[in-house]
Amino acid sequence: MPELPEVETTLRGIEPYVDQQTIARIVVRNPQLRWPVPVQDLRSLHNKKVLKVARRAKYLLFHTDVGVMLLHLGMSGSLRVLLTPQSPGKHDHIDIELQSGVVIRFNDPRRFGCCLFSDDDIDAHALLIKLGPEPLSEAFNGDFLYEKSRGKSQAVKNFIMDGHVVVGVGNIYASESLFESGIRPSSQAGKISRPRYRILANNIKQVLAKAIRAGGTTLNDFTQADGKPGYFRQELQVYARQGEPCTRCQSPIKSKVIGQRNTFYCSRCQK
DNA sequence: ACATTGACCTGGGAGC
DNA sequence: TGCTCCCAGGTCAATG
């Protein structure tokens, strides 16, 4: 579920309650996420101050002076800020209890998310070291995409969804960015021109930035940290709109499976 | 090196 | 009502 805008929205929602706050304890009710939760390691965070909470790709990073807790929301995860005690529900796997009394609660029905700990250089972590640039950074631009794509035969949609190319672009925003750019998702990445990649890079930035401003996209169960949905769904131009008229040319939006993921596009506007 | 496929897991909706 | 099947925001590991 969560792509970059949803994770960024989550970060902004929890930051005021977490930054510079001391962790009282971390309660793990179900350690069986994508990888086993290192319960013992997390104990070392008890009574430690969160020096900074940040985002890298779709990972949330809780920095302390003894190590970093990494949290990934997977497909169905979310964090909630609880200002008053609430009894945990079925998929409330982890609570980060702060000394202030606030609880950050991790819920993840499908358990594709993960919670890990690192006391090494976090930038060198195996899950982070090979990742591509942040899409909203200056390092990510059309020239970068152009150079990186030479010789690649895969569909451009798969190319921009590859975290080793650029992070944060998931299934929703890949379709949306390609629509805004007039590029057919199935086009071979290696055959797209430099000018078109410049357009695409700019549109990825704009779509993501706009989605962050809207608090992300709620399709089913994504919620911001305060429990509210994201409001970008009403801004979607093609995602999940198959059969509906294109907002630009009125021809019906098509859907097609590319790389095992459903993909949405306008066959008239996107060549 | 590159590209595709399978795997992980639960819940909700469609169809019978 | 209840069963079966299909689908869903991610991404790593295994396979050609």
Side-chain angles (χ1 to χ4, degrees):
Chain A
M1 51 144 302
E3 301 183 36
L4 187 144
E6 291 72 38
V7 180
E8 181 67 25
T9 295
T10 299
L11 171 67
R12 294 180 186 186
I14 66 169
E15 188 171 24
Y17 300 96
V18 172
D19 188 41
Q20 304 306 313
Q21 298 298 308
T22 300
I23 296 168
R25 60 177 187 151
I26 297 172
V27 178
V28 179
R29 291 187 199 82
N30 186 351
Q32 303 196 290
L33 301 182
R34 170 151 197 188
W35 292 292
V37 177
V39 176
Q40 205 57 39
D41 289 349
L42 294 179
R43 283 179 179 276
S44 66
L45 296 175
H46 292 186
N47 301 312
K48 297 297 186 296
K49 186 159 78 168
V50 178
L51 302 173
K52 183 175 70 170
V53 56
R55 178 188 62 73
R56 169 69 177 119
K58 295 169 189 167
Y59 293 92
L60 290 167
L61 307 176
F62 296 72
H63 292 262
T64 73
D65 60 13
V66 296
V68 177
M69 182 174 72
L70 294 79
L71 211 51
H72 195 293
L73 302 178
M75 284 277 264
S76 58
S78 62
L79 290 182
R80 285 287 288 279
V81 173
L82 305 181
L83 301 177
T84 56
Q86 313 239 343
S87 51
K90 190 174 178 184
H91 303 296
D92 291 334
H93 307 310
I94 299 173
D95 280 356
I96 303 162
E97 298 180 2
L98 301 165
Q99 279 186 358
S100 64
V102 169
V103 172
I104 308 298
R105 179 163 284 175
F106 175 69
N107 176 282
D108 185 10
R110 292 177 71 182
R111 290 189 277 118
F112 286 173
C114 68
C115 177
L116 299 170
F117 176 81
S118 169
D119 54 10
D120 271 337
D121 175 15
I122 191 64
D123 293 324
H125 193 279
L127 292 174
L128 305 185
I129 188 71
K130 293 179 176 175
L131 294 177
E134 288 289 325
L136 298 176
S137 71
E138 290 189 11
F140 176 71
N141 55 46
D143 291 336
F144 170 82
L145 279 182
Y146 177 77
E147 304 295 346
K148 192 92 179 166
S149 63
R150 292 310 91 181
K152 303 233 180 195
S153 62
Q154 67 181 157
V156 63
K157 188 205 178 213
N158 294 341
F159 174 67
I160 60 171
M161 285 179 69
D162 182 349
H164 303 299
V165 173
V166 57
V167 302
V169 182
N171 206 34
I172 296 175
Y173 302 112
S175 281
E176 292 297 310
S177 303
L178 289 164
F179 171 76
E180 297 293 343
S181 306
I183 298 172
R184 191 72 67 97
S186 55
S187 307
Q188 284 187 32
K191 292 188 175 174
I192 292 173
S193 69
R194 190 186 290 271
R196 297 192 90 199
Y197 269 126
R198 287 184 175 151
I199 291 168
L200 178 57
N202 283 334
N203 280 317
I204 287 172
K205 289 173 190 282
Q206 293 212 7
V207 166
L208 292 177
K210 199 173 170 191
I212 290 169
R213 269 181 260 131
T217 299
T218 296
L219 294 176
N220 294 311
D221 48 10
F222 172 73
T223 56
Q224 303 188 43
D226 59 7
K228 292 178 186 158
Y231 299 105
F232 196 71
R233 184 170 192 173
Q234 57 210 74
E235 312 282 334
L236 296 177
Q237 303 295 299
V238 289
Y239 187 87
R241 292 193 62 236
Q242 72 277 19
E244 296 178 34
C246 170
T247 53
R248 290 196 183 152
C249 78
Q250 314 303 315
S251 59
I253 299 300
K254 294 191 171 180
S255 70
K256 178 185 180 184
V257 175
I258 297 176
Q260 295 176 312
R261 313 294 299 275
N262 211 351
T263 305
F264 304 89
Y265 65 100
C266 172
S267 60
R268 187 160 165 200
C269 295
Q270 295 173 258
K271 300 295 185 189

